[in-house]
Amino acid sequence: MRAPAMMFRRRSLAAALAAAALLIALHAAAQSPTPSGLERVAELSAQRLLLADAVAASKRASGKPVEDAQREGEQLARVREQATARALPAEPTAAFFRAQMEANKLVQYRLLAEPGRAGAAVDLAPVRAKLDAINAQLLDALPAALSQARGHDCARRASDARKRAARRHRLDELHRTALARAFGDLCRLP
């Protein structure tokens, strides 16, 4: 009789601990504020820049140049179409994405200039799929970021958002510089 009572107590204790852990997690989630538009754009831009390393490695292995004007033009045309479909201004949206591309190229050029830093070559198809997914998320985050970019202290808030994203992703100096470039003239776009 003693063994079943002990098992019951253990199960009760385990259930109570699980319930407490769930409550703590729910409370923490409720306390976590929804990221601002600038925060979300900084986060996604950082993720996008981290993919530049794989692109640079692939270009090193293939001998392809960093500049691909045709692909960039196609991407910007697609961004303009997607912006229009989302009721975003096409040209400011394209300007924002042009800054994203320039930041990505900045990382690629630097990595390619430093032998051994670009890493091992990878297949670009999955990397491009990730870039496309991040681009779609950036398009979704852009309206909130643009509305927040209207304030007089946009540059400071954008800088703070970039710094937090850089810390979260442990970006080195190169990627931090590129992240600043990725924001382009966001505070002047609206």
Side-chain angles (χ1 to χ4, degrees):
M1 179 126 203
R2 210 165 156 89
M6 198 107 134
M7 285 183 71
F8 177 75
R9 284 187 190 135
R10 285 185 183 159
R11 287 185 182 155
S12 295
L13 180 59
L17 289 173
L22 178 62
L23 286 173
I24 290 169
L26 289 173
H27 179 72
Q31 298 301 316
S32 298
T34 303
S36 72
L38 292 173
E39 293 283 339
R40 185 74 179 130
V41 166
E43 173 65 25
L44 292 166
S45 295
Q47 290 175 24
R48 194 176 191 290
L49 281 171
L50 289 170
L51 294 173
D53 296 40
V55 174
S58 177
K59 288 184 178 180
R60 173 170 292 181
S62 69
K64 290 183 180 177
V66 170
E67 294 286 332
D68 187 347
Q70 181 179 344
R71 178 162 169 73
E72 288 174 29
E74 292 166 359
Q75 291 295 310
L76 290 172
R78 187 162 61 165
V79 161
R80 285 183 187 93
E81 290 172 9
Q82 292 170 333
T84 302
R86 287 174 167 85
L88 285 167
E91 288 312 311
T93 302
F96 172 76
F97 276 90
R98 191 175 301 107
Q100 294 285 315
M101 291 176 187
E102 291 300 320
N104 201 288
K105 289 189 291 187
L106 172 76
V107 172
Q108 290 178 52
Y109 277 121
R110 176 73 65 78
L111 293 176
L112 290 172
E114 297 176 22
R117 188 162 176 208
V122 297
D123 179 16
L124 275 185
V127 174
R128 286 184 172 155
K130 287 179 187 176
L131 283 169
D132 289 344
I134 291 171
N135 287 348
Q137 292 175 58
L138 277 166
L139 279 164
D140 291 339
L142 205 50
L146 288 173
S147 73
Q148 292 172 355
R150 291 192 174 105
H152 69 288
D153 62 341
C154 176
R156 180 194 53 79
R157 289 181 290 115
S159 175
D160 291 346
R162 288 192 312 267
K163 286 176 186 174
R164 284 188 288 275
R167 278 192 302 271
R168 270 192 306 278
H169 291 281
R170 296 185 173 107
L171 299 183
D172 60 13
E173 188 61 32
L174 167 61
H175 290 80
R176 284 176 186 261
T177 300
L179 185 57
R181 177 65 186 99
F183 263 58
D185 291 329
L186 181 66
C187 291
R188 295 185 192 133
L189 287 180

